Amino acid sequence: MSGCFITFEGVEGVGKSTQVARLEEALLARGLDVLVTREPGGTPLAEQIRALVLHHRGEALPDAAELLLMFAARAVHTENLIRPALQRGAFVLCDRYTDATYAYQGGGRGIADALIDPLATLAQRGLWPQCTILLDAPVAPALQRARARAGKTDRIEGETLAFFERVRARYLARAAAAPERIQVVDATGTPEAVGARIWAVVRPLWGAM
């Protein structure tokens, strides 16, 4: 594969969507092929699975079912969209990927990594991002921004502050364990300042394509 796979991670409200859009604009301005996508979702079928995970329903969704649905969506997304884009040489910018599962279903829900690991192997078939940008900020103000923006919360956005603190802690633990791939970027400050920090991380990746 000759493309470059970059993922953005972080808790709700840290500005992932804003920074993905800023980076897309910067890369397009330099004449690069860019695909922007998200998880769960990204393809019509994967978006249907996303709806099953996030929408409130009359029947409870067990944690194990949530985990399996996340990887079902990821398998579809990876094979039908991400891998073909990388094969044609595109920059793929993805709002969340498997690190989110370790953070949310692992850290947040308490599912052991030993149960997540084989599902990642099966769904991704060895595909991991060259670079993961972890936008990090204190949870409480970030969550407040996310909820004010969204108005109505989905199943995960409506979780407790303690849940999101566990998610953040797991993200930071994963970054400490894989510093060559996961770059922690301070998400506080203006969008321009955060964007400049991200650009400093992304610019050297051109030479790896």
Side-chain angles (χ1 to χ4, degrees), residues 6 19-37 88-93 199 202-203 206 209:
I6 302 172
Q19 294 304 329
V20 168
R22 288 180 62 87
L23 182 56
E24 177 191 20
E25 182 179 359
L27 295 173
L28 288 173
R30 289 158 175 79
L32 297 167
D33 181 2
V34 183
L35 170 71
V36 171
T37 188
R88 74 167 187 258
F91 263 84
V92 176
L93 310 181
W199 185 249
V202 171
R203 180 62 185 88
W206 289 14
M209 292 184 66

Side-chain angles (χ1 to χ4, degrees), residues 163-187:
F163 173 90
F164 288 105
E165 292 286 5
R166 294 194 300 272
V167 170
R168 183 191 184 195
R170 181 60 61 89
Y171 267 135
L172 291 172
R174 286 187 64 77
E180 71 289 348
R181 176 175 67 84
I182 305 176
Q183 302 293 314
V184 180
V185 173
D186 181 1

